[in-house]
Amino acid sequence: MPTRPKERGMEYEQMIATVRQRAGLGENEAVRSIQAVLSVLGERLAGQEADNLAAQLPERLNGSVTRNPQGRRWDVGEFLKNVGDREQVANADHVRQHAQAVLRTVAEALNDDERNDLLAQLPGGIIDLFGVPTPRG
């Protein structure tokens, strides 16, 4: 099975700093938020999409992307509930803010093809958290 070449668009420290700034978090909270969102996002993706996502993220975050070849069929509410559970944040508004900060940053770290492939697997409510135009096709 061919895999895509690794093209890392953003360094680890830059990703943490961007999420910290966007979500108003400290460093440890930003790392926990990134790990929670990537874990839930990876679990939501089917096929090799989680591997493709991980290949474009900083290497230190590869292990945070859960692999689940079948992909879970979560809507945005279930997605955010799972993020909050893993992040250990109870306030739904904070969870949404953190998820948006992480997913916007992830969207910027991916090349256009990978971003479009990723978004094509997600329902509109989750896509909205990325803050990017919905792919058409």
Side-chain angles (χ1 to χ4, degrees), residues 69-89:
Q70 292 75 37
R72 304 241 185 214
R73 301 319 295 144
W74 292 326
D75 64 15
V76 68
E78 293 166 306
F79 182 87
L80 290 171
K81 181 195 177 309
N82 282 291
V83 169
D85 289 349
R86 292 179 196 184
E87 191 180 8
Q88 299 179 338
V89 172

Side-chain angles (χ1 to χ4, degrees), residues 4-9 15 34 37-59 61-62 64-67 79 102-103 105-111 114-115 117-119 122 130:
R4 295 181 185 196
K6 292 187 182 236
E7 299 175 25
R8 304 206 187 275
M15 191 166 222
I34 291 168
V37 171
L38 290 177
S39 174
V40 175
L41 179 61
E43 203 168 321
R44 177 64 177 73
L45 300 172
Q48 291 194 316
E49 197 57 43
D51 289 328
N52 295 340
L53 168 64
Q56 290 199 16
L57 295 174
E59 198 165 337
L61 295 174
N62 282 359
S64 298
V65 180
T66 301
R67 274 52 166 203
F79 182 87
V102 172
L103 293 174
T105 305
V106 166
E108 292 169 3
L110 302 177
N111 69 38
E114 183 55 37
R115 183 172 42 252
D117 288 350
L118 173 73
L119 295 176
L122 300 173
F130 282 85

Side-chain angles (χ1 to χ4, degrees), residues 13-28:
E13 291 79 13
Q14 180 186 2
M15 191 166 222
I16 301 301
T18 302
V19 170
R20 283 185 66 187
Q21 188 255 337
R22 287 180 171 162
L25 296 171
E27 184 167 349
N28 291 338

